Amino acid sequence: MSVEKSVRERYSEGAREKQEALCCPVDYDRELLKLLPREIIDKDYGCGDPSRYVRKGDTVLDLGSGGGKICYMAAQLVGPRGLVIGVDMNDDMLAMARKYQSEMAEKLGGDRVRFHKGYIQDLALDVAAMERYLAERPVTDAASLAALKSWQAEQRKTRPLIADASVDLVISNCVLNLVADDEKSQLVREIFRVLKPGGRVAISDIVADEPVSRHLKDDPTLWSGCISGAFEEREFVRAFEQAGFSAVCLDKWEVEPWQVIENIEFRAVTLVAFKGYGRECLDRGHAVIYRGPYAEVRDEEGHIFPRGERIAVCERTFRTLTEGPYQKHFIGIEPKIPAEPVAWCAPPGTRRPAAETKGGRQIAECGGEKCC
Ligand SMILES: C[S@@+](CC[C@H](N)C(=O)[O-])C[C@H]1O[C@@H](n2cnc3c(N)ncnc32)[C@H](O)[C@@H]1O
């Protein structure tokens, strides 16, 4: 049986009746649950709470939204100017989530949640539109298959389900593990594509502490049960690094494994990451000082920051280190008068003499947290 078929059948059952085997204990914010219908709370197949990373005004995309629990929690946090989009491939799950849409809109004082049928590894493809196309032009031979492929390519380009750079925060709760292994890197690239520059990711998922053997992966019950399709823990982090994310961080880590099979521990974790502001390097005389506590750190682009040294950075890296998740680790120093931009990135570890930045604005906020 294909991965997709076993997953679809399992979650159709899960939409009809609560499946105990799919329920992993999660400590959700009780205040946010108060507004939710009982059925959605009961048919919860998540393993973490990515809603805690939502900010007011965000456009949020929830991958594998299931019954809509995280979407309806996020909708309370984004407020009236935000938007929450849930994508799922399963009609029964989508039907459960949509059943409560008008009731939830009334409770929230506005309809700010949308549910779309789609594959999370192909977020440009509008699957509902494709099904309408197929109803009129079923695939019966090579020519009609070629016509479908060309329609798909055109649809992805001109009317993508989720457009490039349109989302502030991508969240997901226990879904990435269900995507076939050979589609997982495309899935992470899709997350990168749809995020705006400066956008964030918060993914709660199950990871394995050791490689999962073939016979476990080939077991459809273990796969659809959010177990054997799990990323190995270091591969999880690496997939996000390789897709171009910065500040990749394992924010939550359940000490107690959810399942142990053949001595492999499968546990819930939450990974957060940040999409930087592109790759253009324009040096205008900015510097940053790494506060510590480590003697030295290196970012994903290879910049090296020894503790306490004024290091030359381009304008884009300056912005990343002083606005994004790195903010509390760095002191930013702007040039007093910005120099003419030079398309050049100082070699890793290049110092910027104090005389060159003296009198410039200093940024030393830690975003409400303790800096060290
Ligand atoms: C374990 S449930 C999690 C549901 C929800 N996030 C929650 O917290 O309850 C997995 C969901 O992901 C959906 N799903 C699995 N693979 C998918 C894929 N490739 N594309 C879209 N949805 C998928 C399933 O239909 C199901 O609703």
Side-chain angles (χ1 to χ4, degrees):
M1 201 193 310
S2 76
V3 161
E4 189 188 322
K5 188 162 186 283
S6 66
V7 171
R8 181 172 304 111
E9 287 176 2
R10 188 86 184 258
Y11 289 95
S12 283
E13 271 172 50
R16 281 193 290 273
E17 242 175 276
K18 179 176 174 173
Q19 304 287 309
E20 291 297 345
L22 297 175
C23 299
C24 173
V26 179
D27 189 15
Y28 293 110
D29 180 335
R30 282 170 198 280
E31 277 306 305
L32 297 178
L33 291 182
K34 277 187 185 160
L35 231 54
L36 268 57
R38 187 75 247 163
E39 182 184 15
I40 290 185
I41 296 175
D42 286 347
K43 293 173 182 168
D44 163 29
Y45 304 126
C47 60
D49 181 11
S51 76
R52 65 185 71 216
Y53 302 88
V54 173
R55 298 181 192 154
K56 225 183 189 61
D58 274 346
T59 293
V60 177
L61 173 65
D62 181 18
L63 305 179
S65 41
K69 183 192 65 257
I70 295 290
C71 288
Y72 290 127
M73 290 166 77
Q76 299 171 55
L77 297 165
V78 295
R81 289 212 302 280
L83 175 68
V84 182
I85 305 159
V87 170
D88 204 290
M89 68 173 188
N90 186 299
D91 288 318
D92 298 305
M93 281 291 181
L94 286 165
M96 175 178 24
R98 286 174 179 149
K99 186 162 85 183
Y100 297 102
Q101 208 168 336
S102 51
E103 175 187 324
M104 286 303 299
E106 214 163 286
K107 287 184 190 170
L108 289 164
D111 187 9
R112 58 185 90 126
V113 185
R114 306 278 175 276
F115 293 103
H116 295 305
K117 185 167 184 179
Y119 295 107
I120 62 172
Q121 63 273 35
D122 188 359
L123 289 167
L125 182 66
D126 181 337
V127 174
M130 183 177 72
E131 286 176 340
R132 288 194 294 275
Y133 170 97
L134 285 169
E136 285 176 19
R137 283 153 284 188
V139 172
T140 52
D141 54 18
S144 52
L145 179 62
L148 170 67
K149 285 187 179 164
S150 123
W151 178 88
Q152 286 176 328
E154 181 63 15
Q155 186 275 313
R156 284 189 187 100
K157 204 163 81 188
T158 56
R159 296 173 305 279
L161 183 68
I162 311 292
D164 292 1
S166 59
V167 171
D168 298 294
L169 173 67
V170 173
I171 55 177
S172 183
N173 198 2
C174 215
V175 185
L176 272 54
N177 67 81
L178 295 169
V179 173
D181 281 348
D182 60 359
E183 293 183 317
K184 281 187 169 82
S185 49
Q186 185 192 327
L187 157 64
V188 184
R189 285 199 302 276
E190 276 291 85
I191 298 176
F192 192 82
R193 176 183 70 77
V194 302
L195 278 171
K196 298 176 186 174
R200 295 117 54 216
V201 165
I203 308 288
S204 300
D205 219 309
I206 299 292
V207 297
D209 67 345
E210 292 189 69
V212 180
S213 43
R214 188 74 260 158
H215 74 279
L216 296 179
K217 285 185 182 285
D218 288 342
D219 180 327
T221 308
L222 286 181
W223 187 287
S224 61
C226 294
I227 299 173
S228 55
F231 274 102
E232 190 187 344
E233 60 200 25
R234 65 193 171 128
E235 294 305 329
F236 191 38
V237 170
R238 206 169 288 165
F240 283 82
E241 288 169 2
Q242 281 173 353
F245 283 98
S246 311
V248 182
C249 185
L250 289 169
D251 195 39
K252 288 275 277 178
W253 177 273
E254 290 299 332
V255 174
E256 200 54 47
W258 178 48
Q259 306 272 349
V260 180
I261 295 174
E262 295 188 358
N263 208 30
I264 304 172
E265 295 185 357
F266 294 91
R267 63 166 45 75
V269 304
T270 299
L271 175 147
V272 296
F274 168 79
K275 176 172 173 176
Y277 299 103
R279 297 206 75 81
E280 189 189 43
C281 249
L282 287 180
D283 192 339
R284 308 193 75 188
H286 294 74
V288 294
I289 299 176
Y290 169 54
R291 291 175 190 269
Y294 299 103
E296 176 177 292
V297 291
R298 184 169 67 86
D299 70 6
E300 285 84 354
E301 292 183 29
H303 299 109
I304 294 172
F305 303 100
R307 178 174 46 209
E309 300 252 15
R310 269 177 207 234
I311 298 296
V313 285
C314 70
E315 206 168 16
R316 172 182 59 82
T317 303
F318 182 84
R319 186 172 174 200
T320 300
L321 298 181
T322 55
E323 285 180 16
Y326 297 104
Q327 181 189 14
K328 78 183 195 105
H329 303 291
F330 288 90
I331 297 156
I333 306 161
E334 290 178 346
K336 187 170 180 195
I337 300 161
E340 276 304 302
V342 179
W344 180 75
C345 223
T350 304
R351 293 190 59 217
R352 180 89 78 197
E356 288 181 21
T357 42
K358 211 182 290 292
R361 185 170 77 107
Q362 303 200 358
I363 302 172
E365 298 300 318
C366 287
E369 294 179 59
K370 279 222 166 300
C371 293
C372 292

